[in-house]
Each structure stands twice: as C-alpha cells, then as structure tokens.
Amino acid sequence: MSRLSHSEIHMVHRIGWLRAAVLGANDGIVSTSSLVVGVAAAGSGPTEILIAGVAGLVAGAMSMAAGEYVSVSSQTDAENADLTRERRELAETPGAELEELTRIYVERGLDRELAERVAVQLTQRDALGAHARDELGISETVAARPVQAAVVSALTFAAGAVIPVLVALVSPAGSTSIVVAGSTLVALAILGGLGASAGGAGMLRGAARVTFWGALAMGVTAAIGAVFGVSVG
Ligand SMILES: [Zn+2]
C-alpha cells in the first residue's frame, strides 16, 4: 500500500522517453546558458567563457546521470521489496490476500459477489501479478531501467548544453551575453512547444512557460555576473 502514496515514480516512466529527452535538453540549455551569460556579464574573456560553458556541460551531464541512476534504482528497489513481501504474504496467508483483493474490487465499484469471482479467477491465473497491479500499482511497463535512464539524461542534457557553448564560441566578443541569451530563448521556445505537444498540451503555453523560466534564470545569473564584474573586476 505504501507504494501507492509514494510519488517518486520517475519522470521517464510517467511521461515517456520523448518528453524526458526534451526536459533533459531543456535543463542543459537553461543551466549552461545561464552560466555562460553570468560569466560573460562579469566581463570575462572568451577563453574563460568557453571553459565555464564546457565545465557546466560536463558537470551537469554527470549530475543528471547520477541523479537519474539513484532515483530509478531506488524505485526498482522499492518495487522489488514490495513484490518480495507480497510473494511471501501470498504463500503464508492466501486467504487474507484473496480477501484483500476482493475488497479492492469492491472499493472500485464491483458488488461483493462479482468482486469475489474476479479475485478468485485472477488469483488462480496469476496471484502475484494481480496483487502487483491492483494493490501495489506496479505494471510491467513501469519496469525501471536505471542505466538507460542515466545515459539518456546525460546525453539529452549535453545535447541541450552544447547549444549555448557553440553560440558563445562563434558570437562576437563583447556581445556574448546578448547573443547567447537570445538564441537560448529561441531554442527554449522550440523545445517547450515540442515537449508540450508530445505531452498532449498546447504548444504555445508550453513554449511560453519554458521561455519564461529560461529568461528568469539567465536574468538572475546575468545580474550576479554584472555585480561581481563591477566589484571584483
Ligand atoms: Zn496483497
């Protein structure tokens, strides 16, 4: 039962790979361009800006991979522990487990007699499967893959982060902040629209939402960079 209340069912499984990829790229763009804009606003030279961007890309990708791996692994551990406990309960107290399943179906709206018949038939066919699905909320499609999730997160983050790094590389000295910020907002609007449409939501709202947070992030780091640039530089 604890499984149902725990909200740590990971993003990758809940919203699908495409949206996870879009969100990873989104993270990469926002954090790396904020870094680049902040360092550029402090009056750093092109080499420093580039180092900051590349370091941000690598650090972010590694951090995403680690976070994703830990998160998905702990979800798998929790599911396996639940299934082990359920298997033991089914072996030790099959009567109580049948009653438990029956009550679940009664709560979902079946009358007692029908719920009993459903519970008996499903128990005969695949007792653990029925309890996993209807009691614990674990379905096969939710089977977690920590390594894949980690790799996908790192790659999508890097794919997003490489955009501001490349833009910083080619933008004329002195206007790096403006050029990176502008291209980042365009990239975010496109990604936000894509992500929203993949999730079945309105493209314009998705684009506006992501662009707003990207602009805010870059605005804050630009302000911090400017303050440091004045006081330190
Ligand atoms: Zn059970």
Side-chain angles (χ1 to χ4, degrees):
M1 292 305 262
S2 66
R3 182 70 180 52
L4 287 175
S5 60
H6 105 139
S7 58
E8 191 58 17
I9 297 172
H10 207 266
M11 161 175 114
V12 165
H13 312 291
R14 202 172 54 220
I15 62 180
W17 291 97
L18 177 59
R19 285 202 67 203
V22 167
L23 289 178
N26 199 77
D27 270 1
I29 295 178
V30 172
S31 68
T32 310
S33 35
S34 300
L35 196 57
V36 167
V37 167
V39 173
S44 313
T47 310
E48 286 88 350
I49 294 173
L50 202 62
I51 291 172
V54 172
L57 184 156
V58 174
M62 295 308 295
S63 158
M64 290 284 284
E68 199 69 10
Y69 184 85
V70 169
S71 164
V72 176
S73 299
S74 60
Q75 184 196 340
T76 311
D77 290 347
E79 286 183 358
N80 287 340
D82 277 349
L83 287 175
T84 302
R85 198 197 56 214
E86 200 64 34
R87 199 176 283 118
R88 198 184 54 228
E89 285 172 0
L90 280 167
E92 287 170 359
T93 53
E97 288 299 305
L98 184 64
E99 174 60 23
E100 183 183 49
L101 204 54
T102 304
R103 280 198 193 145
I104 287 168
Y105 298 136
V106 168
E107 263 170 45
R108 288 189 193 169
L110 301 187
D111 58 53
R112 174 82 206 175
E113 188 205 3
L114 181 58
E116 255 168 43
R117 279 173 51 207
V118 170
V120 166
Q121 281 194 21
L122 289 179
T123 299
Q124 280 167 355
R125 192 160 162 260
D126 176 13
L128 186 63
H131 281 261
R133 196 174 53 242
D134 293 329
E135 181 191 345
L136 305 172
I138 300 173
S139 66
E140 278 141 287
T141 55
V142 184
R145 296 183 190 85
V147 174
Q148 280 96 321
V151 170
V152 167
S153 290
L155 288 182
T156 55
F157 182 97
V162 83
I163 297 173
V165 172
L166 288 180
V167 172
L169 197 63
V170 299
S171 60
S175 54
T176 307
S177 298
I178 301 292
V179 177
V180 169
S183 59
T184 293
L185 291 179
V186 171
L188 284 178
I190 294 169
L191 263 181
L194 266 179
S197 75
M203 287 184 77
L204 213 63
R205 267 186 73 183
R209 198 153 46 200
V210 178
T211 310
F212 168 78
W213 286 105
L216 185 66
M218 288 186 294
V220 170
T221 54
I224 293 172
V227 168
F228 270 85
V230 169
S231 61
V232 182

